[in-house]
Amino acid sequence: MTNTRNTPIEALQRAFPMQVLRYRLRAGSGGAGLYPGGDGIERDVEMLEDVTVSLITERRVSRPQGLVGGSPGAVGEDWLLPSGDESRAERLADKCTIQMKAGDVLRMLTPGGGGWGRPPGPVGGLSILGEQDGSTVRIVDYDAAWPSRFQLERDRVAGALGATAHRIEHVGSTSVPGLAAKPIVDVMVTVADPDDDAAFVLALTKVGYALRVIEPDHRMFRTPARDVHVHLWRTNTDDERRHLLFRDWLRENADDRARYEAVKRELAARTWRNSNDYADAKGDVIAAITERAELWASQTGWSTSPS
C-alpha cells in the first residue's frame, strides 16, 4: 500500500491475510488556504493471522508545507491497536518493523496536503515567504532602460488583473531619472482590497510573479530574477499618496535627489543582516525628505491625480 496508489480493498484482502475495516478520507487534514490542501486517507486494517509488518512512511514529523501563504497539512500517523482496542493504541514510528497478532489492527493516517494561498480572513501580521534575502546591497547608476522595463511589467500586470488594478505606477528610486538605485523596478498597483487574495494572487502567479510579502493592506510579488517588485496597496490611502509624493518630489528637487543618493551609497557600503535592515536604516533621511515634499505639495497644490 502507498499514499498515492489507491489499491482496491478486494485486491489487498486477496493478496494478504487482512481485512480492511475502514477506508475513508481524513476529514480536515488538508491545510487551509485560498485553495485548501487535499485530505489524507484513514485506513484501519485487521490482521487475520500472526504477521510481520514493515512500515516505511513519510511526513510523520514534518507537516507538508503550504504554498503562497497557505497553511501546512496535518502530519501522518501510524497506530497499533492490540485486538482492535482503542484504549490500548500505541503510536508507531514512521519506519519500523513490528509483530502483529491475529485480531490486531493497524491504523494508518496519511498526511494532508498543504494549502495554496492565504486562507480567507484577517491578516495577523507580517509574513515573508521564501528564504531570507542576502546581506549585500548593490547600488548602481541610473539606467535609462528602467522606464521601458516598467512599461513591460505594467502591461503584464494590467493584462493579468484587468479592472481589479485601479492604478499602476512606477515608484521607488528607479522611477526617478538620474537617481542611483538598487537595480529593482518597483511597481505600485492600487486595488480595492489588498487583503482579498482571491482577487489577484492566482492571476499574478499565472503570469510569473511570486508572492513574497503578506501584511495587512499590502502584498508584494517579485519576478524569479528578483529584479521587479510589484506592490499592491489600497486605493486612495496614505500608502498610495506617500509613494507618489516621494517620487514626484525627487523628480522635482535635485538637492534632495543628491542627498538621498549619497545616503543610499553610504549605507550600501555597510554590512547588513539582510536587505530589510538596509531599508530600515534609510528611515531618517526619508522622513526628512518627506517633510520637505509635504511643504512643496501644500504650496503647489500637488495631488495624486494622474498628470
Side-chain angles (χ1 to χ4, degrees):
M1 293 182 293
T2 73
N3 287 355
T4 55
R5 185 177 180 183
N6 187 18
T7 306
I9 291 173
E10 295 82 1
L12 287 174
Q13 295 183 160
R14 177 173 293 184
F16 302 102
M18 62 175 58
Q19 179 180 3
V20 178
L21 304 179
R22 181 171 65 174
Y23 186 81
R24 67 185 184 187
L25 289 176
R26 187 184 174 196
S29 58
L34 186 60
Y35 300 95
D39 286 332
I41 292 172
E42 297 183 10
R43 292 187 183 96
D44 279 7
V45 180
E46 180 183 2
M47 303 306 159
L48 302 181
E49 60 184 65
D50 293 355
V51 294
T52 300
V53 175
S54 293
L55 297 177
I56 305 175
T57 57
E58 301 291 343
R59 292 292 184 180
R60 267 48 182 179
V61 177
S62 58
R63 303 171 68 183
Q65 71 180 51
L67 296 174
V68 197
S71 299
V75 296
E77 301 176 17
D78 301 310
W79 295 84
L80 170 63
L81 282 62
S83 301
D85 187 350
E86 296 271 359
S87 66
R88 298 165 58 199
E90 303 172 20
R91 182 80 175 262
L92 300 173
D94 56 348
K95 297 173 179 60
C96 63
T97 297
I98 59 173
Q99 303 300 317
M100 297 184 66
K101 297 179 179 180
D104 289 347
V105 173
L106 177 64
R107 175 169 293 167
M108 292 167 288
L109 311 178
T110 66
W116 191 97
R118 187 185 69 85
V123 180
L126 173 65
S127 296
I128 298 178
L129 309 183
E131 73 281 1
Q132 181 172 291
D133 284 335
S135 58
T136 301
V137 176
R138 185 167 67 98
I139 301 294
V140 301
D141 291 340
Y142 178 77
D143 188 337
W146 286 336
S148 297
R149 180 61 188 276
F150 161 72
Q151 190 59 49
L152 185 69
E153 301 301 328
R154 185 194 188 285
D155 293 345
R156 178 155 57 146
V157 171
L161 297 185
T164 298
H166 297 169
R167 186 171 190 170
I168 305 174
E169 294 277 354
H170 191 184
V171 296
S173 293
T174 62
S175 70
V176 180
L179 179 61
K182 291 187 297 182
I184 299 172
V185 172
D186 286 300
V187 181
M188 182 184 74
V189 182
T190 60
V191 296
D193 182 5
D195 292 339
D196 181 13
D197 295 88
F200 52 79
V201 172
L202 182 59
L204 290 176
T205 301
K206 282 183 174 180
V207 296
Y209 298 110
L211 182 59
R212 173 62 171 170
V213 174
I214 300 173
E215 60 182 334
D217 276 344
H218 176 229
R219 300 292 183 275
M220 189 272 273
F221 294 76
R222 64 184 182 184
T223 53
R226 304 182 183 183
D227 57 351
V228 175
H229 289 177
V230 178
H231 298 266
L232 275 71
W233 299 100
R234 192 178 297 272
T235 299
N236 295 328
T237 60
D238 287 342
D239 293 315
E240 176 185 21
R241 183 181 182 279
R242 66 185 171 86
H243 285 291
L244 295 174
L245 175 60
F246 196 76
R247 178 198 68 186
D248 289 356
W249 171 245
L250 289 183
R251 287 175 173 178
E252 177 76 17
N253 188 273
D255 290 341
D256 266 346
R257 189 164 60 244
R259 184 176 293 108
Y260 189 44
E261 177 173 327
V263 171
K264 290 199 299 178
R265 288 190 182 278
E266 189 274 325
L267 292 175
R270 301 182 190 178
T271 300
W272 303 96
R273 289 184 307 165
N274 57 60
S275 58
N276 291 328
D277 291 340
Y278 159 81
D280 292 342
K282 295 188 298 179
D284 288 344
V285 68
I286 288 175
I289 292 173
T290 299
E291 185 175 343
R292 289 186 287 274
E294 290 287 3
L295 179 60
W296 168 74
S298 66
Q299 292 172 341
T300 61
W302 175 91
S303 75
T304 59
S305 300
S307 56

